[in-house]
Amino acid sequence: MERYSIQEFVNETMQQDKGEGLFELETARLLEINLTDKIWTKAGAMVSYRGNIKFEREGVFEHGLGKMFKKTLTGEGTSLMKATGQGKLYVADQGKKISILQLQGESLFVNGNDLLAFEPTIEWDIKLMKKIAGMLSGGLFNVKLEGEGLVAITSHYEPLTLLVTPDNPVFTDPNATVAWSGSLQHEFVTDISFKTFIGRGSGESIQMKFSGNGFVVIQPFEEVYFKQTNSMG
Protein backbone atom coordinates (compact mmCIF):
# COMPACT_ATOMS: atom_id res chain seq x y z
CA MET A 1 0.00 0.00 0.00
CA GLU A 2 1.37 3.42 -0.97
CA ARG A 3 1.53 6.05 1.73
CA TYR A 4 2.03 9.76 1.07
CA SER A 5 2.49 12.86 3.11
CA ILE A 6 -0.14 15.43 2.22
CA GLN A 7 2.37 17.37 0.13
CA GLU A 8 3.58 14.21 -1.62
CA PHE A 9 0.02 13.26 -2.48
CA VAL A 10 -0.70 16.74 -3.85
CA ASN A 11 2.46 16.68 -5.94
CA GLU A 12 1.74 13.17 -7.26
CA THR A 13 -1.90 13.79 -8.27
CA MET A 14 -1.88 17.51 -9.10
CA GLN A 15 -3.47 18.65 -12.35
CA GLN A 16 -0.88 19.61 -14.96
CA ASP A 17 -1.25 21.57 -18.17
CA LYS A 18 0.14 19.44 -20.99
CA GLY A 19 -0.55 21.92 -23.77
CA GLU A 20 -2.48 19.38 -25.84
CA GLY A 21 -5.28 21.72 -26.87
CA LEU A 22 -9.04 21.49 -26.47
CA PHE A 23 -9.18 17.86 -25.25
CA GLU A 24 -6.49 16.75 -22.81
CA LEU A 25 -6.35 13.48 -20.90
CA GLU A 26 -5.48 14.33 -17.31
CA THR A 27 -5.60 10.62 -16.55
CA ALA A 28 -6.74 7.65 -18.64
CA ARG A 29 -10.22 8.11 -17.15
CA LEU A 30 -10.56 11.87 -16.73
CA LEU A 31 -10.85 14.31 -19.65
CA GLU A 32 -9.93 17.98 -19.34
CA ILE A 33 -11.66 20.27 -21.83
CA ASN A 34 -9.93 23.63 -22.28
CA LEU A 35 -13.11 25.46 -23.13
CA THR A 36 -13.07 28.70 -25.09
CA ASP A 37 -16.54 28.65 -26.66
CA LYS A 38 -18.93 25.67 -26.62
CA ILE A 39 -18.80 21.89 -26.27
CA TRP A 40 -21.29 19.00 -26.09
CA THR A 41 -20.85 16.37 -23.37
CA LYS A 42 -22.85 13.45 -22.08
CA ALA A 43 -25.33 14.70 -19.47
CA GLY A 44 -24.07 13.99 -15.97
CA ALA A 45 -20.45 13.63 -17.07
CA MET A 46 -19.17 16.85 -15.44
CA VAL A 47 -17.12 16.18 -12.31
CA SER A 48 -15.44 19.58 -11.87
CA TYR A 49 -14.73 22.91 -13.55
CA ARG A 50 -13.06 26.23 -13.06
CA GLY A 51 -13.72 29.48 -14.87
CA ASN A 52 -16.84 31.12 -16.27
CA ILE A 53 -18.81 28.17 -17.68
CA LYS A 54 -22.56 27.87 -18.10
CA PHE A 55 -24.29 24.50 -18.37
CA GLU A 56 -27.55 23.80 -20.16
CA ARG A 57 -29.38 20.59 -20.86
CA GLU A 58 -30.08 20.10 -24.54
CA GLY A 59 -33.06 22.22 -25.62
CA VAL A 60 -36.18 20.38 -26.73
CA PHE A 61 -36.07 21.78 -30.25
CA GLU A 62 -32.36 22.57 -30.40
CA HIS A 63 -31.66 19.80 -32.90
CA GLY A 64 -35.05 19.53 -34.53
CA LEU A 65 -38.22 17.56 -33.92
CA GLY A 66 -36.88 14.36 -35.47
CA LYS A 67 -34.03 14.04 -32.98
CA MET A 68 -36.34 14.95 -30.10
CA PHE A 69 -38.65 12.07 -31.11
CA LYS A 70 -35.75 9.63 -31.28
CA LYS A 71 -34.43 10.83 -27.92
CA THR A 72 -37.81 10.05 -26.40
CA LEU A 73 -37.58 6.48 -27.68
CA THR A 74 -34.01 5.89 -26.60
CA GLY A 75 -34.39 7.43 -23.15
CA GLU A 76 -31.91 9.35 -21.06
CA GLY A 77 -28.88 7.67 -22.64
CA THR A 78 -28.79 10.26 -25.41
CA SER A 79 -29.20 13.33 -23.21
CA LEU A 80 -26.56 15.94 -23.94
CA MET A 81 -25.26 18.84 -21.92
CA LYS A 82 -24.01 22.02 -23.56
CA ALA A 83 -21.18 23.84 -21.82
CA THR A 84 -20.42 27.39 -22.94
CA GLY A 85 -17.88 29.93 -21.77
CA GLN A 86 -14.21 29.90 -20.87
CA GLY A 87 -12.44 27.70 -18.40
CA LYS A 88 -11.39 24.13 -17.66
CA LEU A 89 -14.05 21.44 -17.62
CA TYR A 90 -13.43 17.94 -16.31
CA VAL A 91 -15.66 15.10 -17.48
CA ALA A 92 -15.71 11.35 -16.85
CA ASP A 93 -18.11 8.41 -17.06
CA GLN A 94 -18.07 5.75 -14.35
CA GLY A 95 -14.31 5.42 -14.44
CA LYS A 96 -14.31 4.17 -18.04
CA LYS A 97 -11.16 4.59 -20.15
CA ILE A 98 -11.27 7.60 -22.50
CA SER A 99 -10.02 7.72 -26.08
CA ILE A 100 -9.78 10.95 -28.11
CA LEU A 101 -10.38 10.78 -31.85
CA GLN A 102 -9.88 13.48 -34.50
CA LEU A 103 -12.48 13.33 -37.26
CA GLN A 104 -11.21 14.76 -40.54
CA GLY A 105 -14.27 14.48 -42.72
CA GLU A 106 -14.91 10.83 -41.84
CA SER A 107 -18.02 9.42 -40.21
CA LEU A 108 -18.06 7.32 -37.09
CA PHE A 109 -20.79 5.39 -35.29
CA VAL A 110 -20.54 5.29 -31.49
CA ASN A 111 -22.65 3.31 -29.06
CA GLY A 112 -24.75 6.00 -27.39
CA ASN A 113 -23.61 4.95 -23.94
CA ASP A 114 -19.95 5.33 -24.93
CA LEU A 115 -20.07 8.90 -26.30
CA LEU A 116 -18.50 11.31 -23.78
CA ALA A 117 -17.92 14.63 -25.60
CA PHE A 118 -17.59 16.20 -29.04
CA GLU A 119 -17.04 19.54 -30.69
CA PRO A 120 -20.06 21.49 -31.98
CA THR A 121 -18.53 21.50 -35.48
CA ILE A 122 -19.47 17.81 -35.77
CA GLU A 123 -22.84 16.79 -37.20
CA TRP A 124 -24.62 14.03 -35.30
CA ASP A 125 -27.76 11.93 -35.52
CA ILE A 126 -29.28 9.14 -33.40
CA LYS A 127 -29.72 5.77 -35.07
CA LEU A 128 -32.14 3.37 -33.41
CA MET A 129 -31.44 -0.35 -33.37
CA LYS A 130 -35.11 -1.23 -33.85
CA LYS A 131 -34.62 -4.83 -34.91
CA ILE A 132 -33.27 -5.95 -31.56
CA ALA A 133 -35.22 -3.68 -29.21
CA GLY A 134 -37.34 -6.57 -28.01
CA MET A 135 -34.46 -9.04 -27.89
CA LEU A 136 -31.92 -7.27 -25.72
CA SER A 137 -32.12 -5.04 -22.69
CA GLY A 138 -32.87 -1.42 -23.49
CA GLY A 139 -30.32 1.29 -24.22
CA LEU A 140 -28.92 -0.07 -27.47
CA PHE A 141 -28.73 2.79 -29.92
CA ASN A 142 -25.88 4.52 -31.66
CA VAL A 143 -24.94 8.04 -32.66
CA LYS A 144 -23.56 8.84 -36.09
CA LEU A 145 -20.88 11.55 -36.00
CA GLU A 146 -19.35 13.13 -39.07
CA GLY A 147 -17.37 16.17 -40.10
CA GLU A 148 -14.33 17.90 -38.62
CA GLY A 149 -13.49 17.96 -34.95
CA LEU A 150 -12.64 16.07 -31.78
CA VAL A 151 -14.66 13.24 -30.26
CA ALA A 152 -14.08 11.56 -26.89
CA ILE A 153 -15.39 8.02 -26.46
CA THR A 154 -15.26 5.68 -23.48
CA SER A 155 -14.73 1.97 -22.96
CA HIS A 156 -14.61 -0.41 -20.04
CA TYR A 157 -10.91 -1.30 -19.80
CA GLU A 158 -8.67 -1.26 -22.88
CA PRO A 159 -10.40 -0.96 -26.28
CA LEU A 160 -9.44 -3.29 -29.11
CA THR A 161 -9.81 -2.31 -32.79
CA LEU A 162 -10.58 -5.02 -35.35
CA LEU A 163 -10.06 -4.38 -39.07
CA VAL A 164 -12.86 -5.39 -41.43
CA THR A 165 -12.28 -6.30 -45.09
CA PRO A 166 -14.75 -7.43 -47.78
CA ASP A 167 -13.56 -11.03 -47.51
CA ASN A 168 -13.32 -11.04 -43.70
CA PRO A 169 -16.41 -9.69 -41.87
CA VAL A 170 -16.40 -9.27 -38.09
CA PHE A 171 -19.08 -10.44 -35.63
CA THR A 172 -19.44 -8.80 -32.22
CA ASP A 173 -21.61 -8.85 -29.13
CA PRO A 174 -23.69 -5.62 -29.28
CA ASN A 175 -23.11 -5.01 -25.56
CA ALA A 176 -19.34 -5.10 -26.08
CA THR A 177 -19.30 -2.95 -29.24
CA VAL A 178 -18.07 0.60 -28.70
CA ALA A 179 -17.74 2.18 -32.17
CA TRP A 180 -17.26 1.47 -35.86
CA SER A 181 -16.31 3.37 -38.99
CA GLY A 182 -19.13 4.88 -41.02
CA SER A 183 -17.93 3.08 -44.16
CA LEU A 184 -19.08 -0.30 -42.83
CA GLN A 185 -22.41 -2.03 -43.36
CA HIS A 186 -23.83 -3.54 -40.19
CA GLU A 187 -26.71 -5.89 -39.50
CA PHE A 188 -27.98 -8.04 -36.66
CA VAL A 189 -27.88 -11.81 -36.87
CA THR A 190 -29.04 -14.47 -34.44
CA ASP A 191 -27.57 -17.83 -33.59
CA ILE A 192 -30.09 -20.08 -31.87
CA SER A 193 -27.46 -22.77 -31.37
CA PHE A 194 -26.09 -20.65 -28.52
CA LYS A 195 -29.43 -20.16 -26.81
CA THR A 196 -28.68 -22.50 -23.93
CA PHE A 197 -25.63 -20.43 -23.00
CA ILE A 198 -27.10 -16.96 -23.32
CA GLY A 199 -29.40 -15.65 -20.63
CA ARG A 200 -31.24 -13.20 -22.85
CA GLY A 201 -34.98 -12.78 -23.07
CA SER A 202 -35.23 -14.08 -26.62
CA GLY A 203 -33.21 -17.21 -25.91
CA GLU A 204 -31.01 -16.30 -28.89
CA SER A 205 -27.50 -14.99 -29.23
CA ILE A 206 -27.77 -11.59 -30.92
CA GLN A 207 -24.68 -10.59 -32.85
CA MET A 208 -23.66 -7.59 -34.92
CA LYS A 209 -22.14 -8.39 -38.29
CA PHE A 210 -19.86 -5.81 -39.91
CA SER A 211 -18.85 -6.04 -43.55
CA GLY A 212 -17.01 -3.84 -46.05
CA ASN A 213 -13.81 -1.87 -45.43
CA GLY A 214 -13.24 -0.28 -42.05
CA PHE A 215 -12.80 -1.03 -38.36
CA VAL A 216 -14.78 -1.97 -35.25
CA VAL A 217 -13.86 -1.02 -31.68
CA ILE A 218 -14.78 -3.51 -28.94
CA GLN A 219 -14.26 -3.66 -25.19
CA PRO A 220 -13.66 -6.67 -22.89
CA PHE A 221 -16.92 -6.03 -21.08
CA GLU A 222 -20.63 -6.50 -21.75
CA GLU A 223 -22.57 -3.41 -20.74
CA VAL A 224 -25.98 -4.10 -19.24
CA TYR A 225 -28.51 -1.35 -19.76
CA PHE A 226 -31.83 -0.62 -18.13
CA LYS A 227 -34.84 -2.40 -19.57
CA GLN A 228 -36.46 -0.58 -22.46
CA THR A 229 -39.98 0.56 -21.64
CA ASN A 230 -40.87 2.01 -25.04
CA SER A 231 -41.95 -0.16 -27.94
CA MET A 232 -39.91 0.56 -31.03
CA GLY A 233 -41.46 -2.11 -33.26
Side-chain angles (χ1 to χ4, degrees):
M1 183 176 67
E2 293 183 89
R3 292 184 173 90
Y4 298 92
S5 70
I6 292 297
Q7 190 58 51
E8 286 171 340
F9 179 77
V10 170
N11 291 341
E12 181 72 19
T13 61
M14 184 168 54
Q15 179 268 331
Q16 298 180 3
D17 285 323
K18 302 175 183 178
E20 295 175 355
L22 178 63
F23 283 6
E24 186 173 298
L25 283 179
E26 279 299 313
T27 71
R29 292 164 171 78
L30 190 63
L31 177 67
E32 177 187 274
I33 302 174
N34 293 296
L35 191 63
T36 58
D37 183 20
K38 179 172 71 173
I39 203 77
W40 286 103
T41 72
K42 185 175 184 177
M46 187 275 288
V47 294
S48 181
Y49 74 93
R50 65 170 77 213
N52 183 22
I53 301 176
K54 180 181 179 182
F55 300 95
E56 298 175 87
R57 289 295 287 266
E58 180 187 8
V60 173
F61 296 106
E62 185 144 9
H63 297 288
L65 192 59
K67 287 184 183 176
M68 183 192 73
F69 175 68
K70 284 185 279 190
K71 274 171 54 62
T72 301
L73 291 177
T74 54
E76 282 299 301
T78 50
S79 294
L80 296 174
M81 177 177 67
K82 180 170 62 174
T84 56
Q86 295 185 333
K88 291 185 179 293
L89 171 62
Y90 298 92
V91 294
D93 186 11
Q94 302 180 67
K96 293 162 70 176
K97 183 177 174 63
I98 300 169
S99 300
I100 301 172
L101 306 176
Q102 173 83 54
L103 290 190
Q104 298 176 316
E106 306 100 330
S107 61
L108 180 74
F109 286 89
V110 180
N111 183 306
N113 293 279
D114 299 321
L115 180 59
L116 181 63
F118 60 93
E119 288 192 78
T121 53
I122 291 178
E123 295 291 323
W124 65 276
D125 193 16
I126 298 167
K127 303 293 183 180
L128 299 178
M129 298 184 181
K130 294 182 179 181
K131 183 177 178 181
I132 57 171
M135 300 180 186
L136 295 178
S137 55
L140 275 175
F141 60 92
N142 57 69
V143 181
K144 183 180 183 182
L145 305 163
E146 57 186 337
E148 305 270 347
L150 293 171
V151 178
I153 63 175
T154 59
S155 61
H156 286 278
Y157 311 108
E158 301 294 328
L160 176 68
T161 299
L162 304 173
L163 296 182
V164 181
T165 58
D167 60 344
N168 196 8
V170 169
F171 296 82
T172 67
D173 182 327
N175 290 315
T177 307
V178 175
W180 60 93
S181 51
S183 56
L184 292 179
Q185 295 83 49
H186 70 277
E187 59 182 312
F188 295 96
V189 296
T190 60
D191 189 339
I192 58 174
S193 67
F194 287 151
K195 66 181 179 181
T196 55
F197 303 106
I198 306 295
R200 305 204 194 282
S202 67
E204 297 177 348
S205 169
I206 312 301
Q207 303 162 358
M208 295 185 76
K209 177 184 179 181
F210 296 94
S211 52
N213 276 301
F215 62 88
V216 181
V217 182
I218 59 172
Q219 61 185 2
F221 186 92
E222 288 188 62
E223 293 199 57
V224 178
Y225 313 118
F226 294 108
K227 286 290 183 181
Q228 189 78 26
T229 55
N230 301 92
S231 174
M232 295 193 295

